[in-house]
Amino acid sequence: MLRRLNEKSWKELDALKKEEVYLVLPISSLEQHGIHLPVGTDDFTMEAALKDLVDCPELKGDFWLLPSIHYGISPEHLDFCGSFTLTPQTLCAVVEDLIHCMTVHGWKNLVLLNSHGGNTSLLHGMAQTWKRKFGVDIFHVDFWGSDFFNDAASMLQTPIQLDIHGGEIETSLLLYSRPQVVKEAELKTMTDDLPELPKYRGSWTAKELSPKGALGGATKASAETGKALSEFVKNKVISQLEAIARGEG
Ligand SMILES: [Zn+2]
C-alpha cells in the first residue's frame, strides 16, 4: 500500500521498519504545454495518478508518499510564459537535503516518481552519486523519457514516439481527470505538430520544434482515451513499484 507520510506522527513513523520500506517522492514541473493545456499539466497528471494509488489495496508492498516537488528542469520551455524552471543544481540540492534527512532517521530506499521528461536524465545521472554519498538506494518510475507508455501505443492514434509533450496522451489524461482546465476552444484550432526530437543536438528548445509548444497528436485526444490511459498509468505504476519491492530492478 502507498500511504501519506505527512498524515502520521513522528512516533508512528519511528515505529516503522524504516530500512525495509520505500519512500516515494513525486517530482513534476510547472511549464507550458501548448495553448490548449495548462502549465500545471505534469502536476495534474501526477495528482490524478496519486489519487488512484494512495491507499489502493491492490498495491502490495510498504510505500510511503512524501509531499511533492512541483517544479522541475524546464529550460527547454522558458520561451513560453508561465514556465518556471529550477536549475539542475537547485533540484539536486533539494533532493539531497531530503536524502540527508532520510539518513538521519534510517530510511534506506527512495523512489523518485517523476511526471516530467526534463527531470529524467538528471535524476538517473545522480542516483549512483547519491548512493555513494548517502548509502541510500534510489529507484525510478518515470512517465516520460522512458518506455513507460510504450505498452499503451495501441490505445493511441498518434505514433507513440511522436507523442512527446501536450499531445494525445497528456491531453486525453486531462480531458478525463480534470476537463475544466483544458482549453476546448483552443484545442479545436490545433493541428498536430509531430516533429522528431533532434538526434544529436541536446540543446533543442520546444519553440524551435513547435511554435505553439505542443509536440504530439493533441487533436486525437479524447476523454475516453484518457479513461483507458488513467487505468494504464495506475496499473503500470503499481507493477513498477511492486517490482522494485520484490528487488527485481
Ligand atoms: Zn507534460
Side-chain angles (χ1 to χ4, degrees):
M1 185 126 31
L2 173 66
R3 284 166 282 192
R4 290 187 189 278
L5 180 142
N6 63 1
E7 292 180 349
K8 301 297 176 187
S9 71
W10 73 261
K11 194 177 171 195
E12 290 172 303
L13 295 169
D14 203 33
L16 298 174
K17 286 186 178 166
K18 294 185 286 297
E19 65 282 0
E20 292 176 18
V21 307
Y22 293 80
L23 300 186
V24 177
L25 175 62
I27 308 177
S28 55
S29 79
L30 181 61
E31 65 181 29
Q32 72 83 20
H33 274 74
I35 58 172
H36 62 301
L37 293 182
V39 293
T41 293
D42 291 346
D43 236 5
F44 297 145
T45 54
M46 176 68 81
E47 247 179 58
L50 292 176
K51 196 164 161 252
D52 286 340
L53 292 162
V54 171
D55 297 330
C56 169
E58 292 165 48
L59 172 57
K60 309 295 178 228
D62 202 2
F63 297 95
W64 289 87
L65 184 69
L66 291 164
S68 301
I69 297 176
H70 299 282
Y71 300 88
I73 308 302
S74 308
E76 73 275 30
H77 297 292
L78 264 191
D79 293 312
F80 298 92
C81 190
S83 301
F84 291 78
T85 186
L86 303 178
T87 62
Q89 295 90 327
T90 305
L91 181 59
C92 282
V94 172
V95 175
E96 282 200 12
D97 283 353
L98 300 180
I99 298 174
H100 167 70
C101 298
M102 287 176 62
T103 64
V104 172
H105 301 125
W107 312 95
K108 289 287 183 196
N109 302 296
L110 178 65
V111 181
L112 301 172
L113 177 61
N114 168 36
S115 65
H116 168 50
N119 298 335
T120 305
S121 56
L122 175 74
L123 297 175
H124 283 248
M126 288 305 296
Q128 293 173 1
T129 298
W130 288 333
K131 165 79 171 178
R132 291 282 170 201
K133 194 167 175 182
F134 298 105
V136 167
D137 266 320
I138 308 290
F139 302 87
H140 304 277
V141 174
D142 301 290
F143 294 179
W144 299 98
S146 71
D147 61 1
F148 188 92
F149 282 108
N150 282 11
D151 293 339
S154 62
M155 299 174 190
L156 305 173
Q157 297 176 54
T158 313
I160 187 83
Q161 74 278 11
L162 301 179
D163 204 65
I164 297 165
H165 182 76
E168 186 176 356
I169 293 174
E170 288 186 307
T171 308
S172 295
L173 283 170
L174 287 200
L175 281 172
Y176 174 64
S177 67
R178 202 181 276 243
Q180 67 275 22
V181 302
V182 178
K183 324 301 168 193
E184 293 272 7
E186 300 282 13
L187 182 54
K188 288 196 178 84
T189 72
M190 296 277 289
T191 50
D192 293 342
D193 238 344
L194 301 170
E196 287 190 38
L197 292 183
K199 199 170 172 186
Y200 302 108
R201 192 166 55 91
S203 57
W204 56 270
T205 68
K207 196 166 193 178
E208 291 168 349
L209 302 177
S210 164
K212 288 181 179 171
L215 312 170
T219 68
K220 309 295 190 303
S222 70
E224 195 185 1
T225 302
K227 186 173 191 291
L229 284 169
S230 290
E231 193 63 22
F232 174 87
V233 169
K234 176 187 169 188
N235 292 330
K236 188 83 174 180
V237 175
I238 286 176
S239 76
Q240 295 193 347
L241 289 178
E242 288 183 346
I244 287 168
R246 286 195 301 269
E248 287 177 12

